[in-house]
C-alpha cells in the first residue's frame, strides 16, 4: 500500500487535471453552440441552393458548367480530408482516417500513386504521414479562424484542378454533425456532380423568369453550389469537433472524479493503518514499562 504522502500527491495531481478538463469542457460547449448555429443555418441555404440547381440544370449540354458533370480522362482521385487542428477529442480523427483507409482499400486498392490527399487540419496531416500517402497540400491551423473566404479559395483550387483534368474524381472526407454527442464519418463525391434524378413534376413544370439568361445563371449557380457544399462540410466538421471534445472532456472529468474517490478510500485506509500502528506501538511500550 502506498504511503500517505504518495497518495496525497496523486490526489492533488488528479484534482488539477480535473479542473483543466472541466474548463476545456465548458469552452468546447460555448464554441459548440456557435458552430451548431452556423451549420444549421448553412444546411437550409445549401439545401435550397441544391434544389434550385436541380431545377435549372436539366439541360446543360453545351454549357460551360457541363464540365462539372463530366468524368475526366485521368487515373487520379483527390481526397479532401477535413480533420481537426487539435487533439483531445476522442476518436474524432482516428475514426475518420480509418474510414478513409477502408474506402481506399476497397475502391482503389494498394496503388498509392492513384490518389492524392488534400489535408485541412493538422491532425489529418499527422495521420497521413504514417501511411506515406501522396499529400497534394496541407492547411494547418485552418479552423483557428474558419471563414467563407478561405474555404472558397481552397474549393476554387480544387475546381480548377478538376477542370484541368488532373483528377477524375474528388471526394470530401469529413465528420457530419448530428448533435453534441453524435457525428458520422462521411465520404461524399464532390466532383463530378453525380447523375441527377429526374426533377419532380412540379419542378420540371415550374415557370422561371431568367435574368439575364439561364446559361449565365447556371455559370454562377453551379460553382456556388459546389463551394457551399464544400464550406458546409467544413462547418459540419467544426461542430463535430467541438461536440467530440466536449464529450471527451466530460468523460475525462467523470473519470477523474471516480479516481479521486478511489484514492480517497486508499488514503483513508493508509491513514487508518498508520494510526493503528501508532496505537499498537504506544500500547506495546506501556506494557513493556509495566513488565519492566
Amino acid at each position: 500500500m502506498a504511503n500517505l504522502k504518495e497518495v496525497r500527491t496523486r490526489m492533488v495531481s488528479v484534482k488539477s487535471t480535473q479542473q483543466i478538463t472541466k474548463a476545456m469542457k465548458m469552452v468546447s460547449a460555448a464554441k459548440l453552440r456557435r458552430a451548431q448555429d452556423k451549420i444549421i443555418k448553412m444546411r437550409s441555404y445549401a439545401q435550397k441552393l441544391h434544389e434550385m440547381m436541380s431545377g435549372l440544370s436539366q439541360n446543360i449540354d453545351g454549357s460551360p458548367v457541363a464540365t462539372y458533370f463530366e468524368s475526366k480522362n485521368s487515373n487520379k482521385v483527390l481526397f479532401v480530408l477535413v480533420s481537426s487542428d487539435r487533439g483531445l477529442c476522442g476518436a474524432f480523427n482516428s475514426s475518420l482516417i480509418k474510414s478513409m483507409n477502408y474506402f481506399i482499400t476497397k475502391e482503389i486498392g494498394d496503388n498509392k500513386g492513384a490518389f492524392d490527399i488534400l489535408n485541412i487540419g493538422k491532425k489529418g496531416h499527422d495521420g497521413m504521414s504514417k501511411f506515406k500517402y501522396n499529400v497534394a497540400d496541407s492547411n494547418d491551423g485552418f479552423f483557428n479562424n474558419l471563414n467563407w473566404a478561405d474555404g472558397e479559395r481552397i474549393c476554387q483550387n480544387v475546381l480548377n484542378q478538376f477542370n484541368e483534368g488532373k483528377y477524375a474524381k474528388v471526394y470530401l472526407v469529413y465528420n457530419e454533425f448530428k448533435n453534441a454527442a453524435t457525428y458520422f464519418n462521411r465520404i461524399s463525391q464532390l466532383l463530378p456532380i453525380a447523375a441527377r434524378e429526374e426533377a419532380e413534376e412540379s419542378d420540371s413544370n415550374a415557370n422561371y423568369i431568367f435574368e439575364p439568361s439561364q446559361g449565365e445563371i447556371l455559370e454562377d449557380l453551379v460553382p456556388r453550389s459546389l463551394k457551399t457544399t464544400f464550406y458546409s462540410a467544413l462547418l459540419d466538421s467544426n461542430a463535430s469537433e467541438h461536440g467530440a471534445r466536449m464529450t471527451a472532456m466530460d468523460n475525462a472529468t467523470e473519470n477523474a472524479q471516480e479516481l479521486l474517490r478511489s484514492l480517497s478510500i486508499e488514503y483513508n485506509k493508509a491513514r487508518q493503518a498508520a494510526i493503528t500502528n501508532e496505537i499498537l506501538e504506544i500500547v506495546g511500550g506501556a506494557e513493556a514499562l509495566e513488565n519492566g
Side-chain angles (χ1 to χ4, degrees):
M1 181 180 293
N3 60 45
L4 292 175
K5 183 178 180 181
E6 291 176 348
V7 177
R8 278 199 302 267
T9 301
R10 289 189 63 191
M11 291 178 69
V12 171
S13 176
V14 172
K15 286 180 180 178
S16 177
T17 302
Q18 186 184 39
Q19 291 176 348
I20 294 173
T21 57
K22 189 174 182 179
M24 292 183 67
K25 173 192 171 183
M26 295 174 65
V27 171
S28 295
K31 290 182 177 180
L32 173 62
R33 284 192 291 270
R34 294 193 296 268
Q36 186 174 357
D37 290 341
K38 289 182 179 180
I39 184 57
I40 290 175
K41 293 176 181 177
M42 174 57 75
R43 280 177 180 169
S44 301
Y45 173 74
Q47 181 179 0
K48 186 62 179 178
L49 192 61
H50 180 74
E51 291 175 358
M52 290 176 61
M53 186 179 69
S54 298
L56 294 175
S57 60
Q58 298 302 310
N59 299 310
I60 60 170
D61 295 338
S63 171
V65 298
T67 182
Y68 295 111
F69 298 86
E70 299 169 351
S71 298
K72 308 301 179 184
N73 294 324
S74 174
N75 297 323
K76 270 200 162 187
V77 174
L78 177 66
F79 290 95
V80 181
L81 176 61
V82 185
S83 60
S84 68
D85 288 317
R86 298 185 297 133
L88 298 178
C89 48
F92 178 83
N93 295 300
S94 59
S95 64
L96 186 65
I97 293 174
K98 183 178 180 181
S99 296
M100 190 183 74
N101 282 332
Y102 176 79
F103 182 86
I104 290 174
T105 302
K106 182 179 179 182
E107 300 294 332
I108 298 178
D110 297 329
N111 184 10
K112 294 184 179 180
F115 60 91
D116 288 340
I117 307 292
L118 192 161
N119 285 311
I120 300 178
K122 184 177 183 298
K123 291 301 178 180
H125 178 268
D126 295 343
M128 290 300 97
S129 62
K130 301 177 183 178
F131 299 98
K132 298 181 179 180
Y133 290 155
N134 297 324
V135 178
D137 192 15
S138 292
N139 297 271
D140 297 348
F142 185 84
F143 290 99
N144 292 335
N145 182 27
L146 178 60
N147 58 80
W148 168 266
D150 289 339
E152 183 184 30
R153 172 180 53 80
I154 296 176
C155 185
Q156 187 60 57
N157 290 336
V158 172
L159 298 182
N160 293 340
Q161 291 177 353
F162 176 78
N163 290 333
E164 291 167 2
K166 184 176 181 180
Y167 299 110
K169 292 182 179 180
V170 177
Y171 290 98
L172 281 174
V173 185
Y174 64 100
N175 285 307
E176 181 181 355
F177 177 79
K178 182 178 180 181
N179 54 50
T182 308
Y183 58 87
F184 302 102
N185 301 146
R186 291 297 185 207
I187 302 179
S188 60
Q189 181 175 314
L190 180 67
L191 292 166
I193 298 175
R196 305 171 307 282
E197 298 180 357
E198 292 298 327
E200 296 181 359
E201 185 94 18
S202 57
D203 289 336
S204 60
N205 293 332
N207 294 320
Y208 292 103
I209 298 176
F210 301 104
E211 180 63 36
S213 68
Q214 180 175 353
E216 291 178 273
I217 291 175
L218 284 175
E219 286 184 36
D220 177 77
L221 184 63
V222 173
R224 183 182 295 272
S225 178
L226 291 169
K227 293 173 183 177
T228 301
T229 300
F230 188 89
Y231 188 62
S232 179
L234 299 180
L235 293 179
D236 258 313
S237 180
N238 189 45
S240 299
E241 177 191 350
H242 293 311
R245 183 170 292 108
M246 185 185 72
T247 302
M249 291 302 100
D250 182 54
N251 292 336
T253 302
E254 291 180 359
N255 291 339
Q257 187 62 37
E258 183 64 30
L259 183 56
L260 279 174
R261 282 194 290 267
S262 299
L263 288 173
S264 180
I265 293 173
E266 184 178 351
Y267 177 81
N268 290 334
K269 286 182 178 179
R271 184 169 176 270
Q272 185 178 13
I275 293 173
T276 302
N277 289 333
E278 290 178 1
I279 293 174
L280 289 175
E281 290 176 358
I282 293 172
V283 172
E287 290 178 352
L289 290 173
E290 289 179 4
N291 294 333

